[in-house]
Amino acid sequence: MVYYFKSSCGQYLIYMGKDKMENEALIKYGLPEDCWFHVEDLSSAHVYLRLKPGQTLDDIPPDAVLDCSTLVKANSIKGCKMSSVCVIYTRWKNLHKTASMVAGAVGFHRPENVRRIQVEKNNSIVNTLNKTKEERFPDLQKEQRDREKEIALVNKERRRVEAKARKLAEVEEAKRKEELSYDRIHSEDQMSSTLDFEATADSAAAEEYEDDFF
């Protein structure tokens, strides 16, 4: 089972697993657009924010970051009792999971891409999010596979457009070079040498000499 919420700004989907088994599935079958939230150094729920395609961590509205951070604090056994906690978040694709890790534990491919935010207790935000809460039983593996197919099709179309643009650019460049080439203007059959002019002049002079002689 996975719990789904709507962000306060209404633009994003927030979700989290019911327990550590769902957390493992979410870690394994996330999407490239997912952003992961967790309380630092404490056990807590794994909360995810689904971004729009192409968005980065810098594009997340502060309200959405606060929603996820407050929700993850509220779903930490120890963290929910504290006045404030540090919440870490990063892209799903930055999560690193090995077979030796216990359920729910993760590392990071690039620790420098992990961000931190200090969050205080805020029941108002939690209550607002809980009003939008839905329980679902998604096929996470299928969702991931379907998204991978969509991305593959988008990349294929992008490569096709880029290849077409390169071909057009090559044709235009070849056309430009042809227009600038002197070969098109001065071909061998159109050129005359100084010998041609000298031969013509000598022939004319001979004809004039013969006219004068006779």
Side-chain angles (χ1 to χ4, degrees):
M1 179 188 296
V2 178
Y3 297 125
Y4 290 86
F5 309 83
K6 292 182 180 178
S7 64
S8 58
C9 60
Q11 300 178 14
Y12 298 94
L13 180 69
I14 299 171
Y15 64 97
M16 68 179 187
K18 178 182 178 181
D19 53 36
K20 63 181 181 180
M21 299 310 297
E22 270 83 19
N23 286 338
E24 286 296 292
L26 294 177
I27 292 169
K28 184 176 181 179
Y29 297 116
L31 302 188
E33 293 80 18
D34 290 341
C35 181
W36 171 89
F37 289 76
H38 196 277
V39 175
E40 187 172 36
D41 297 330
L42 293 175
S43 63
S44 73
H46 293 226
V47 172
Y48 292 82
L49 176 69
R50 181 149 297 167
L51 304 180
K52 311 298 180 183
Q55 288 188 323
T56 67
L57 293 179
D58 293 330
D59 298 318
I60 305 176
D63 288 348
V65 173
L66 184 59
D67 283 347
C68 294
S69 300
T70 303
L71 187 61
V72 81
K73 178 187 183 304
N75 286 276
S76 170
I77 296 175
K78 292 183 179 181
C80 68
K81 301 173 184 178
M82 301 169 65
S83 59
S84 69
V85 297
C86 180
V87 172
I88 57 177
Y89 64 102
T90 190
R91 300 296 294 268
W92 166 79
K93 60 186 178 182
N94 192 34
L95 300 181
H96 178 58
K97 181 76 178 183
T98 64
S100 62
M101 292 179 176
V102 298
V106 297
F108 308 105
H109 293 291
R110 294 187 175 184
E112 67 272 17
N113 289 343
V114 177
R115 299 191 179 185
R116 290 167 172 80
I117 180 174
Q118 198 70 25
V119 181
E120 298 180 353
K121 185 175 182 178
N122 192 320
N123 290 330
S124 176
I125 291 178
V126 175
N127 292 336
T128 299
L129 290 172
N130 281 333
K131 290 179 181 179
T132 70
K133 182 178 179 180
E134 294 182 18
E135 298 179 3
R136 305 180 194 172
F137 297 86
D139 187 336
L140 298 172
Q141 184 177 15
K142 182 178 183 302
E143 287 184 359
Q144 186 186 71
R145 186 167 55 247
D146 290 344
R147 181 59 184 143
E148 288 173 348
K149 290 180 180 178
E150 290 177 357
I151 293 173
L153 288 175
V154 170
N155 290 337
K156 182 179 180 180
E157 176 62 16
R158 175 180 54 80
R159 289 192 296 268
R160 186 192 69 79
V161 172
E162 290 176 350
K164 184 178 180 180
R166 285 195 300 269
K167 183 63 176 178
L168 181 60
E170 290 172 0
V171 171
E172 291 296 326
E173 179 64 12
K175 182 179 178 181
R176 185 185 69 83
K177 288 182 178 180
E178 181 183 1
E179 291 175 347
L180 295 175
S181 175
Y182 286 100
D183 293 339
R184 185 174 63 87
I185 302 173
H186 299 293
S187 60
E188 291 184 1
D189 59 341
Q190 294 176 316
M191 296 177 67
S192 298
S193 69
T194 56
L195 293 176
D196 293 331
F197 290 111
E198 291 174 358
T200 301
D202 291 343
S203 176
E207 290 178 359
E208 292 176 358
Y209 175 77
E210 291 176 354
D211 289 342
D212 291 342
F213 182 78
F214 289 106

